[in-house]
Amino acid sequence: MAQDRQSPGEGRADVPERVSGDEPLLAARVHRPSDLMRLLGGLLAIGLVLAVAAFAHFTTSGLEKDINAGAGGAPDLFVKIAGLVSSIAVLLVPVAFAIERLVKRDGLRIADGVLAAVLAHGVTLATDLWVAEAAPGAIRDALTQPQSGGGLTDPVHNYLAPVIAYMTAVGMARRPRWRVSLWAVLLLDAFTMLVAGYTTALSIVLTVLIGWTVAYGTLYAVGSPNVRPTGQTLLAGLRRVGFRPVTALRAEGVPDAVDSGDRGRRYIVTLEDGPPLDVTVVDREQQAHGFFYRAWRRISLRTITTRRSIVSLRQALEQEALLAYAAIAAGANAPKLIATSELGPDAVMLVYEHIGGRSLDALDDHEITDDLARSAWRQVKALQSRRIAHRRLTGDAILVDRSGRVVLTDLRGGEIAAGDLVLRMDVAQLLTTLGLRVGAERAVAAAVEVLGPDTVAACLPLLQPIALSRSTRATLRRLARERSAREREAVLEASAAAKRERELAKAEAAALADGTAVDDTAVRTAPGAGAGTTAGSKAGAGAGAKAGTKAGAKAGAKAGAKAEKAEKKADKKAEKRALDTALDEAREEDLLAQIRQQVLLIRPQAPVEPVRLERIKPRTLVSLIAGAVAAYFLLSQIASTPLSTISQADWRWVAAAVLFSALSYVAAAMSLLGFVPERVGFWRTVVAQIAGSFVKIVAPAAVGGVALNTRFLQRSGVRPGLAVASVGASQLFGLGAHILLLLAFGYLTGTEKSRSFTPSRTVIAGLLTVAVLVLVVTAIPFMRKFVSTRLRSLFAGVVPRMLDVLQRPVKLLTGISGMLLLTGAFVLCLDASIRAFGHDSQSISYASVAVVFLAGNALGSAAPTPGGVGAVEGALIGGLVTVGHLPIEVATPAVLLYRLLTLWLPVLPGWLCFNWLTKREEL
């Protein structure tokens, strides 16, 4: 949208200033990553304070004694006067600041401060209630002091925390005079309360942290006022550095990807005299865009491959200016920087000579010639001759001007004096960028012609997705999904064609046996089921008739049955060969593999082993954190369990628990085979389920079991697509059965002690929670799209498989029985573990045990730890204590015994079974 405005300038005052394409409505508020980081830091600090209060009891008590001893010499009159003054001033200073802001029409900040103060007051009340009712005694002693009239002081001060939250949210810290006055009042108030014995040192620290944390949480939730400069600010800044702008046109087509979000807003500025300018405006909000992604890359990747996650505006300006001058000095085509300037305290601008043209992404494929590709490589060669790395050689950073000259833009993310690894990453990135547009062969040929074969071959270890830009990785993932869809369609077409051919052959065989002609149209529409049986049976009957005896007839029937069985086996082999052939013909190599092949044709001895760039993977980090928490929880529970309780276990119930645990593997095999129409050995499936006990220790249970069962079915002769569909159908049906059983047993648990069958509060709360989650998912577009995409891909393969299973009632009955038996075996194993420690069997029902197991198992499947370690134990112990009203001395050893039998003891047999199946090539 164009905006025409008049403003007095340094040039001709009658020239209108127009900003075309400027943001018509900039967001009034923005969510700053810095506020979120401060929020997380505050939460961590609160946790550390509580940890110190809980575990450093002697340190905190000694500190309180020292403070009380030092305060004893303070004059009582001085303490009372200071307390009175500070109590009044701590309320007057924020009110005075609010009046000053309202006079200057800055009411939104005051509203933010009031909201933060209200939330802080609520948090302090909740903290006081928790400390008084549920906190450990060490924390209560560290945060409170006994009063002379009885009772304890407040753990957190209900008026200090709101004042601190208000002060932080309104930005009083950015105004030195107000900040100094308020902090002086707060410190005086805290001092008087400490001296008078109304609080403790840790209570003061916790109060400050709560107010500070709530303030930044409020600011991040509601957003901070947007201070991004407008187009008119840009025009004023250009006049300050000596230019006479007429119009500023906002450049379009700038991608909004996370890895390019800090490139700034771009304008094409026309002047009263002289050529136009390209101006880039960078502000703090844009610079912070993608901060968390870059921070994670810096943590997860090795330092040599990453740059600083965020720099100041001054550093960003200086870095881009330095790289612009260095690139031109190296002989590369780069925009010429002619001026820089600040646009207030929160933005800078960089002024370049205008280069008209289009980016590589904007060009059609036929416009990207070999000469253009070689020109791009020559620019990279010029940079690398001076050890300059670009770090963003994507399609939008390569500009082609009107004369066909290639210009490298977006140098802000580059490096001076770059190492070999970073330079090779640039080569790998540009190979991929050009390969996506012109193919691997042409991209490699142009690179080899300009850089030489050795330089291109040296980048092969860096030719991996993690070394490429985020937008490039997203493109490669999209192409991989499209490639998989094409392969799947080719396999389905081949399967349908093979089925039509078999039906045609069977129909022809039946027609020949009847002595009749076969119409081609009728053959193609006739059902093929039973044709082979009819032909085989008639052949057998004919053999029997010729023999003229009953023995001959029986021999003929037997021969016909054998022929029918051999025919079916041959059909399956033929179908498998046809599908394998179709899959081989449809299989396409990904782009990175194609580039490697092209380079290896030139340098066969080039190293191809990928360089390890990742320092840590997300899954490893989550597993380590969750494992540490789980280990702490388990060790604390085991330490609190008396050894006498374990020694008094009833070993008859322990033996029963062992039998129920073993029965679960048979039930798991039944639940899997019930959704596999093909014939698979039952006992081999049982062995595979035992092997799964080893796999789920090294991977999350929901992931490891699915992968193992899918691999086992494929090795047993089930086609890959059908194997995945069978396991998916089993998982989907198991999820539905799990939810229904949880609701049913929850209902029974709520009504077992009541004469009427009214639903329990647990069931109602659960249903309401599910309803709220469904509403949230359907209301948020991103989550709705994510869930619908996953469900669509799931049902695409599962529903046809379920239809196949429904045609075999025995199979379906086996699957349902296996799932019910599996749940029953685990419930009985947990119940036997409880009874093993001498608990009265009448005080906890099977329904309650079932509810506890089903809830704990669901939590364990969602937990990121292998086998749900920690999460399952905590859920089961908490459930038995709250739902079953078991004492902690019984619930803890019972759950540990149950987990020992179902998780830890089967690991060794599972490892043996896993190796046995692997050696037999069945996994």
Side-chain angles (χ1 to χ4, degrees):
M1 181 177 72
Q3 302 175 0
D4 295 335
R5 302 180 183 177
Q6 291 279 357
S7 77
E10 296 180 358
R12 291 161 43 193
D14 59 340
V15 177
E17 298 169 356
R18 184 174 72 253
V19 181
S20 300
D22 194 13
E23 297 86 351
L25 285 175
L26 288 179
R29 290 178 173 271
V30 291
H31 302 279
R32 300 177 186 272
S34 57
D35 292 337
L36 180 58
M37 294 299 294
R38 291 186 178 99
L39 168 64
L40 298 177
L43 293 174
L44 179 60
I46 291 173
L48 290 176
V49 169
L50 294 177
V52 169
F55 298 107
H57 177 68
F58 294 105
T59 302
T60 56
S61 60
L63 179 63
E64 296 302 329
K65 291 179 181 179
D66 293 339
I67 293 176
N68 293 332
D76 186 61
L77 179 62
F78 170 77
V79 172
K80 290 181 178 180
I81 294 176
L84 178 63
V85 172
S86 62
S87 299
I88 297 174
V90 81
L91 298 177
L92 287 181
V93 173
V95 172
F97 182 79
I99 295 173
E100 189 260 348
R101 287 290 91 196
L102 289 175
V103 170
K104 295 186 177 181
R105 297 183 180 182
D106 195 9
L108 286 178
R109 289 185 182 271
I110 302 303
D112 294 342
V114 172
L115 177 60
V118 172
L119 294 177
H121 184 69
V123 172
T124 56
L125 291 178
T127 305
D128 287 346
L129 181 62
W130 173 73
V131 172
E133 301 293 338
I139 294 180
R140 189 181 303 111
D141 295 339
L143 297 178
T144 60
Q145 280 194 352
Q147 293 181 331
S148 57
L152 299 174
T153 59
D154 291 334
V156 181
H157 301 286
N158 296 330
Y159 68 93
L160 275 185
V163 170
I164 294 171
Y166 170 87
M167 177 188 71
T168 307
V170 299
M172 196 180 292
R174 292 192 291 271
R175 291 167 174 80
R177 278 187 257 178
W178 287 100
R179 180 185 62 213
V180 171
S181 60
L182 185 58
W183 274 113
V185 171
L186 290 176
L187 291 176
L188 181 61
D189 188 70
F191 170 76
T192 56
M193 286 191 298
L194 280 174
V195 171
Y198 293 142
T199 187
T200 65
L202 284 182
S203 176
I204 293 293
V205 174
L206 185 62
T207 300
V208 174
L209 288 175
I210 287 178
W212 191 72
T213 304
V214 171
Y216 283 112
T218 304
L219 289 177
Y220 185 75
V222 303
S224 301
N226 196 344
V227 295
R228 294 178 64 178
T230 63
Q232 294 301 319
T233 308
L234 167 65
L235 296 177
L238 287 172
R239 287 195 297 270
R240 284 196 299 270
V241 294
F243 295 102
R244 296 182 176 181
V246 178
T247 62
L249 175 65
R250 176 73 187 274
E252 301 294 338
V254 180
D256 195 22
V258 172
D259 60 349
S260 62
D262 62 343
R263 298 183 183 183
R265 290 178 292 161
R266 303 175 184 177
Y267 295 86
I268 300 174
V269 179
T270 58
L271 305 177
E272 293 182 17
D273 52 357
L277 304 173
D278 288 335
V279 182
T280 300
V281 177
V282 181
D283 55 54
R284 295 190 187 279
E285 301 305 328
Q286 287 176 314
Q287 194 183 25
H289 186 74
F291 165 76
F292 294 108
Y293 169 73
R294 295 194 300 271
W296 168 247
R297 293 271 292 183
R298 186 167 181 82
I299 294 172
S300 61
L301 300 184
R302 297 183 181 276
T303 307
I304 193 172
T305 65
T306 59
R307 54 191 178 91
R308 293 184 61 179
S309 57
I310 193 168
V311 294
S312 66
L313 284 173
R314 170 64 62 178
Q315 289 173 327
L317 186 147
E318 293 174 350
Q319 182 181 9
E320 183 162 356
L322 175 62
L323 283 164
Y325 292 136
I328 293 175
N333 296 331
K336 184 178 179 181
L337 182 66
I338 57 178
T340 60
S341 177
E342 292 185 349
L343 296 178
D346 298 313
V348 296
M349 71 173 180
L350 299 103
V351 183
Y352 295 93
E353 287 185 351
H354 176 65
I355 300 176
R358 293 182 294 167
S359 67
L360 191 70
D361 286 342
L363 298 177
D364 295 331
D365 290 343
H366 69 273
E367 296 181 271
I368 305 177
T369 62
D370 291 340
D371 290 338
L372 191 149
R374 286 191 291 269
S375 179
W377 282 113
R378 281 192 287 270
Q379 307 313 310
V380 174
K381 182 178 181 180
L383 292 180
Q384 297 201 351
S385 66
R386 301 293 179 87
R387 312 294 296 182
I388 301 174
H390 188 283
R391 302 300 301 269
R392 275 179 175 169
L393 288 172
T394 54
D396 61 304
I398 301 173
L399 189 69
V400 182
D401 64 10
R402 297 181 181 87
S403 64
R405 186 174 64 116
V406 174
V407 181
L408 298 182
T409 62
D410 296 325
L411 291 164
R412 187 179 310 132
E415 291 184 15
I416 302 293
D420 289 337
L421 192 64
V422 178
L423 297 178
R424 289 155 61 194
M425 288 175 65
D426 265 3
V427 176
Q429 175 64 58
L430 187 55
L431 273 176
T432 308
T433 299
L434 292 175
L436 289 170
R437 302 301 308 276
V438 302
E441 184 177 356
R442 291 176 58 190
V444 172
V448 170
E449 185 175 345
V450 176
L451 300 181
D454 294 332
T455 303
V456 177
C459 82
L460 287 188
L462 279 303
L463 201 64
Q464 48 183 307
I466 194 65
L468 306 177
S469 68
R470 193 176 189 182
S471 58
T472 304
R473 296 200 304 273
T475 303
L476 292 176
R477 286 194 297 268
R478 176 179 57 81
L479 294 177
R481 290 194 297 267
E482 295 174 356
R483 187 168 58 250
S484 299
R486 288 194 298 270
E487 293 177 356
R488 184 168 57 252
E489 291 175 0
V491 171
L492 292 177
E493 291 178 0
S495 177
K499 186 176 181 180
R500 287 195 299 268
E501 292 179 0
R502 291 196 305 273
E503 290 176 353
L504 178 61
K506 291 177 181 179
E508 289 177 351
L512 290 175
D514 290 338
T516 59
V518 180
D519 179 70
D520 183 67
T521 304
V523 165
R524 293 185 181 274
T525 59
T533 304
T534 304
S537 300
K538 289 185 176 181
K546 290 180 180 179
T549 61
K550 290 184 178 181
K554 290 181 178 180
K558 189 174 182 180
K562 289 183 178 180
E564 177 187 357
K565 188 174 181 180
E567 182 182 358
K568 288 182 178 180
K569 189 174 182 180
D571 287 344
K572 288 184 178 180
K573 289 184 178 180
E575 181 182 8
K576 189 175 184 304
R577 285 196 302 268
L579 292 178
D580 292 341
T581 302
L583 185 60
D584 291 338
E585 294 176 353
R587 184 174 287 114
E588 305 174 22
E589 290 186 337
D590 66 291
L591 177 64
L592 300 184
Q594 296 177 23
I595 294 176
R596 292 189 193 95
Q597 289 183 359
Q598 293 297 324
V599 176
L600 290 175
L601 291 177
I602 302 170
R603 282 289 184 271
Q605 304 301 324
V608 294
E609 185 68 23
V611 174
R612 184 180 177 183
L613 301 177
E614 285 185 297
R615 181 186 290 119
I616 186 171
K617 295 182 179 180
R619 177 179 166 184
T620 304
L621 181 62
V622 172
S623 298
L624 287 175
I625 295 174
V629 174
Y632 171 78
F633 174 80
L634 288 178
L635 290 176
S636 62
Q637 293 294 333
I638 293 173
S640 61
T641 303
L643 295 178
S644 58
T645 304
I646 300 176
S647 62
Q648 295 173 1
D650 188 342
W651 295 104
R652 293 173 299 177
W653 284 111
V654 172
V658 172
L659 293 178
F660 289 131
S661 176
L663 181 62
S664 66
Y665 297 102
V666 178
M670 293 172 59
S671 65
L672 176 63
L673 294 180
F675 296 91
V676 183
E678 292 81 5
R679 183 177 180 82
V680 180
F682 178 77
W683 291 111
R684 287 191 298 114
T685 308
V686 174
V687 174
Q689 303 312 302
I690 299 175
S693 301
F694 166 71
V695 174
K696 69 181 180 182
I697 289 296
V698 297
V703 177
V706 170
L708 183 137
N709 287 329
T710 302
R711 181 68 173 173
F712 170 73
L713 293 179
Q714 292 178 7
R715 288 293 187 178
S716 299
V718 182
R719 295 200 306 270
L722 297 180
V724 173
S726 294
V727 176
S730 175
Q731 293 288 322
L732 185 63
F733 195 92
L735 176 62
H738 193 102
I739 295 174
L740 292 177
L741 288 173
L742 182 59
L743 293 177
F745 283 117
Y747 188 94
L748 294 176
T749 301
T751 59
E752 62 185 3
K753 296 182 180 181
S754 175
R755 296 182 179 179
S756 61
F757 281 88
T758 57
S760 66
R761 294 182 178 179
T762 304
V763 176
I764 295 176
L767 291 176
L768 290 177
T769 303
V770 172
V772 170
L773 290 176
V774 171
L775 289 176
V776 170
V777 170
T778 55
I780 301 177
F782 170 76
M783 298 181 66
R784 182 171 64 247
K785 182 179 179 181
F786 177 82
V787 173
S788 62
T789 302
R790 295 299 184 274
L791 290 178
R792 192 181 302 114
S793 61
L794 177 64
F795 281 102
V798 169
V799 172
R801 196 59 166 171
M802 289 296 297
L803 294 177
D804 292 339
V805 174
L806 290 175
Q807 296 177 4
R808 297 169 174 81
V810 176
K811 281 282 188 179
L812 183 61
L813 180 62
T814 301
I816 296 175
S817 302
M819 288 180 179
L820 297 177
L821 181 61
L822 181 63
T823 302
F826 281 127
V827 170
L828 291 174
C829 181
L830 179 58
D831 182 74
S833 300
I834 296 172
R835 296 171 188 269
F837 291 95
H839 182 65
D840 185 7
S841 62
Q842 299 300 322
S843 62
I844 182 170
S845 64
Y846 286 108
S848 299
V849 177
V851 168
V852 171
F853 161 74
L854 291 170
N857 189 55
L859 183 60
S861 298
T865 55
V869 174
V872 174
E873 287 82 356
L876 293 180
I877 293 174
L880 291 177
V881 172
T882 57
V883 178
H885 304 289
L886 284 178
I888 190 68
E889 295 80 7
V890 175
T892 299
V895 170
L896 294 179
L897 174 62
Y898 166 77
R899 292 290 280 172
L900 179 68
L901 298 178
T902 58
L903 179 67
W904 298 110
L905 284 184
V907 170
L908 180 57
W911 178 74
L912 296 174
C913 293
F914 184 85
N915 286 336
W916 183 74
L917 292 174
T918 303
K919 290 179 180 179
R920 292 173 58 90
E921 296 185 353
E922 295 182 5
L923 275 183

